[in-house]
Amino acid sequence: MSESDNRLLAMVATLYYVNNQSQKSVAELAGVSQAKVSRLLAEAREKGIVRISVGPFEPRDRESEQQLIDKLGLQEAVIVNNSTTSESKNKRTIGYFAAPIVSKMILPNSIVCVSAGRQIAQMVREMEPLGVPGVTVIQTMGGIGANVNEYDAVEIARRLAKLCGAHIYQLQTPTIADTVEEKEVFVRHKRVQDMLTKMDQADLAIIGVGILSDSLFIDREFFRNEDSERLVRKGAVGEICGRLFDADGNECDTQYKDRVISMSIDQLKKTPKVVAVTSGTERAPAVLAAAKGGIIKTLVSDEATARRILELI
């Protein structure tokens, strides 16, 4: 490259990075097209004329993580600093920074159970292909409604299995049957029995935490306001895999208990690693109850939710 070419690169880089000129202004001052400015800036970075330095950034709230581990006896906590008040953008931020951490929890030849959830769906969407051999992915709960979307367990399990190159077991039942008799018909099916039994062997479960005022069951109008109020009076503070639990992390005795087809609370408590992926300060009491009851062993959430949980302890 000639000396004049190097001078042009230096001029364009200085105008843009030091003098804060727009690319349009740089093009006019340098006498080139705006499209060429973009190419010249890229070339300046490649040749080392421009060296971009970024100060250290810590995406995680390490203090809250340690406090949650100490006070709740968690194996691990991944608490992402809030960067926005937008719920949807916050979910993506959590998903982006948590995805590589949770990915490393998926080990070769392991059985991974996964439930439904908005925050889980966002995190799995941010994962890179894993290339972990011998993984089996199990859908922990059936369908919530007739209209399946990206937040349903079947879609999340399918996406995760594809990332792992894994074998997948799909639970082709409703999460909550209309009657106890209908549930019994489903669970008598050998494939369903095999899946529910295989959940006993799970090495890792990735689950969401719902609450009676905001969950996929509310979105699909499975639970209505009057149902939620009645369930709260029964002591329900949260929902995991379609199972309602109380402030001590025990499954509530409601009209739905004997109709649920999903990984059980007892199975989750026996699973070596259970990662709850959730966000929102309104979920703090439910997350606290699930942790106290030994349902969840690792929490993936945001700074605001973590602070609220710590306030409640």
Side-chain angles (χ1 to χ4, degrees):
M1 177 176 281
S2 68
E3 186 178 346
S4 61
D5 289 335
N6 282 327
R7 282 201 302 269
L8 178 61
L9 288 177
M11 176 186 182
V12 167
T14 301
L15 287 169
Y16 185 73
Y17 288 109
V18 179
N19 298 346
N20 295 314
Q21 296 293 316
S22 68
Q23 289 196 18
K24 181 181 178 181
S25 178
V26 171
E28 293 171 352
L29 291 168
V32 298
S33 68
Q34 192 169 335
K36 188 171 182 178
V37 168
S38 296
R39 293 195 298 272
L40 291 171
L41 290 171
E43 188 176 349
R45 290 194 296 272
E46 289 172 5
K47 293 185 178 300
I49 293 171
V50 172
R51 299 181 181 88
I52 297 175
S53 176
V54 179
F57 169 66
E58 174 53 80
R60 296 168 62 177
D61 184 345
R62 301 286 183 173
E63 181 182 353
S64 291
E65 290 178 356
Q66 193 58 53
Q67 287 181 345
L68 288 167
I69 291 168
D70 293 342
K71 294 185 178 183
L72 293 178
L74 296 175
Q75 295 171 349
E76 190 173 353
V78 181
I79 303 302
V80 177
N81 289 311
N82 290 75
S83 61
T84 174
T85 56
S86 166
E87 183 178 348
S88 61
K89 291 179 181 178
N90 193 45
K91 286 186 186 302
R92 182 169 185 189
T93 303
I94 295 167
Y96 177 82
F97 287 110
I101 300 167
V102 176
S103 293
K104 291 178 182 176
M105 299 178 187
I106 302 175
L107 304 178
N109 305 310
S110 61
I111 295 175
V112 180
C113 293
V114 62
S115 79
R118 304 181 194 97
Q119 187 64 75
I120 296 176
Q122 184 63 64
M123 183 186 71
V124 173
R125 193 181 300 119
E126 298 291 342
M127 286 182 174
E128 299 290 337
L130 304 180
V132 184
V135 175
T136 297
V137 173
I138 300 178
Q139 176 188 334
T140 64
M141 54 193 287
I144 298 173
N147 297 321
V148 176
N149 67 28
E150 61 183 337
Y151 306 136
D152 283 287
V154 61
E155 289 300 316
I156 297 173
R158 186 179 297 153
R159 187 179 299 119
L160 184 60
K162 185 176 181 181
L163 288 167
C164 297
H167 181 66
I168 181 173
Y169 283 82
Q170 293 181 316
L171 189 58
Q172 297 173 329
T173 70
T175 298
I176 303 178
D178 289 337
T179 64
V180 174
E181 292 75 20
E182 183 181 80
K183 173 194 170 175
E184 290 173 351
V185 170
F186 278 116
V187 298
R188 280 200 298 267
H189 193 286
K190 186 177 185 307
R191 179 171 172 79
V192 175
Q193 283 182 1
D194 289 346
M195 284 189 64
L196 295 174
T197 300
K198 204 167 187 64
M199 292 175 191
D200 286 327
Q201 305 166 36
D203 300 291
L204 168 66
I206 304 172
I207 60 172
V209 180
I211 54 176
L212 276 299
S213 60
D214 182 22
S215 74
L216 295 181
F217 288 91
I218 295 292
D219 290 351
R220 308 293 172 78
E221 298 185 342
F222 188 94
F223 293 155
R224 300 184 183 277
N225 288 337
E226 56 270 25
D227 295 318
S228 297
E229 291 168 4
R230 184 170 61 252
L231 293 168
V232 169
R233 288 196 296 271
K234 283 274 191 179
V237 299
E239 168 269 317
I240 288 174
C241 297
R243 297 185 181 274
L244 301 165
F245 58 91
D246 63 20
D248 295 317
N250 298 313
E251 190 166 4
C252 294
D253 186 13
T254 70
Q255 70 268 36
Y256 299 108
K257 181 180 179 181
D258 295 327
R259 292 159 46 191
V260 180
I261 307 171
S262 74
M263 193 171 190
S264 70
I265 295 292
D266 285 342
Q267 284 176 315
L268 287 166
K269 288 182 179 181
K270 293 173 184 176
T271 300
K273 187 176 285 290
V274 180
V275 182
V277 185
T278 190
S279 61
T281 55
E282 70 281 0
R283 282 172 163 70
V287 174
L288 177 59
K292 285 169 58 180
I295 303 174
I296 65 175
K297 286 86 171 180
T298 294
L299 175 63
V300 174
S301 193
D302 63 308
E303 173 192 3
T305 304
R307 297 289 182 187
R308 181 59 184 145
I309 293 168
L310 291 168
E311 288 172 2
L312 296 173
I313 296 174

